[in-house]
Amino acid sequence: MTETSFWDFPADAGVLRYGEYSLTIVHPGSPTEAVDLPAHDRVAARRFAESFGTIDTILEDLGTVPATDDVAAGTRADLELVRVGCWGGVVEIIDPALGHTADDFPVLELTEELHKNLPDAVIIAACTIDDSTTHGAWAIFHPSGTKLLASGRHDQEDDWYVEGEPQAVIDAFGITGEALAQEGIHLDEPDHTFPWDALTQLALERVAPLNHDGRAMSVFRVRHTEDATSIMQEAWLEE
């Protein structure tokens, strides 16, 4: 371990897997059209990153990048990069520490904690890691009290963790039958083949604009917490 890192791997160690990982908070009154969102707030973004549960400290503020830029990590050093967008009441963080390949996904615990502190906000997260199969975790919280948590491996019919019902999410967010049909969502599908990503996207689409064109995000190099770093090493770097 170095003075600024809990890593056991060198900075140039190659990342062995690909993944997508994001968490979005939508505060009450946020616009649902992209043109109505305010510009990115760098001060608020840093403040949010400093308070986020996976992050120990910010090592460097690397400025901003287009929100549409690719976020794939190629080396261990890339796993230290976190992006945060703050557009008024809509906050999004892209952090590789949200994903895992074991049974416990950090994102489930983090969204639960955020919901306790922000009960009036919508909180939606989706994290997947592709290895020999796809490991995934999804979380949806609605101010009405509706919540849905799901995690598991798509090659396993059993050993899925699911709390809540997709139908409750559909009702809370007012997702139409037409939208479900367009995304190929059928409520009788088993957990390991259910399109959790599609459901989270439909829910988010109801409360915030998904189009990131023209928007910016802050990029921070961070030291993740010791626990988060340990999980990341297992998820991204170990055979």
Side-chain angles (χ1 to χ4, degrees):
M1 185 183 79
T2 68
E3 182 179 347
T4 59
S5 174
F6 296 116
W7 294 105
D8 296 326
F9 288 78
D12 61 354
V15 172
L16 302 180
R17 301 169 185 91
Y18 173 79
E20 296 182 351
Y21 30 83
S22 65
L23 184 153
T24 305
I25 300 169
V26 184
H27 293 277
S30 298
T32 57
E33 298 295 330
V35 294
D36 297 327
L37 282 180
H40 171 61
D41 185 336
R42 292 182 62 179
V43 174
R46 184 183 182 102
R47 187 165 58 242
F48 180 81
E50 288 173 335
S51 69
F52 198 62
T54 65
I55 295 173
D56 181 61
T57 191
I58 292 176
L59 301 175
E60 189 177 6
D61 184 338
L62 299 175
T64 63
V65 296
T68 52
D69 274 11
D70 181 51
V71 296
T75 66
R76 192 227 77 190
D78 295 334
L79 296 174
E80 298 175 346
L81 301 179
V82 170
R83 300 188 187 190
V84 181
C86 286
W87 310 286
V90 180
V91 180
E92 180 176 283
I93 183 167
I94 299 174
D95 180 0
L98 294 171
H100 199 5
T101 52
D103 295 331
D104 296 325
F105 276 75
V107 68
L108 302 184
E109 181 179 342
L110 285 165
T111 51
E112 287 271 22
E113 190 64 29
L114 284 167
H115 176 64
K116 291 178 183 177
N117 296 326
L118 302 168
D120 296 329
V122 168
I123 302 170
I124 297 177
C127 305
T128 58
I129 296 180
D130 292 326
D131 195 355
S132 57
T133 185
T134 297
H135 309 251
W138 301 266
I140 303 174
F141 288 83
H142 189 274
S144 66
T146 295
K147 80 172 180 179
L148 176 65
L149 304 175
S151 65
R153 292 165 48 112
H154 281 302
D155 65 343
Q156 292 184 352
E157 295 186 27
D158 301 321
D159 297 326
W160 272 76
Y161 171 74
V162 179
E163 180 179 350
E165 298 290 340
Q167 184 63 61
V169 169
I170 291 166
D171 294 340
F173 286 87
I175 300 171
T176 66
E178 180 182 2
L180 294 173
Q182 288 177 347
E183 294 296 330
I185 297 176
H186 304 286
L187 297 181
D188 58 351
E189 285 195 58
D191 296 335
H192 73 292
T193 61
F194 189 87
W196 301 105
D197 269 328
L199 183 62
T200 56
Q201 288 296 294
L202 285 178
L204 188 57
E205 188 178 61
R206 297 291 297 174
V207 294
L210 301 183
N211 183 8
H212 281 19
D213 289 343
R215 280 193 254 169
M217 300 183 80
S218 290
V219 182
F220 303 105
R221 184 172 298 280
V222 308
R223 179 173 65 225
H224 288 92
T225 66
E226 188 168 6
D227 286 345
T229 303
S230 177
I231 289 172
M232 292 171 74
Q233 290 189 151
E234 181 180 347
W236 300 107
L237 300 171
E238 294 178 0
E239 296 283 359

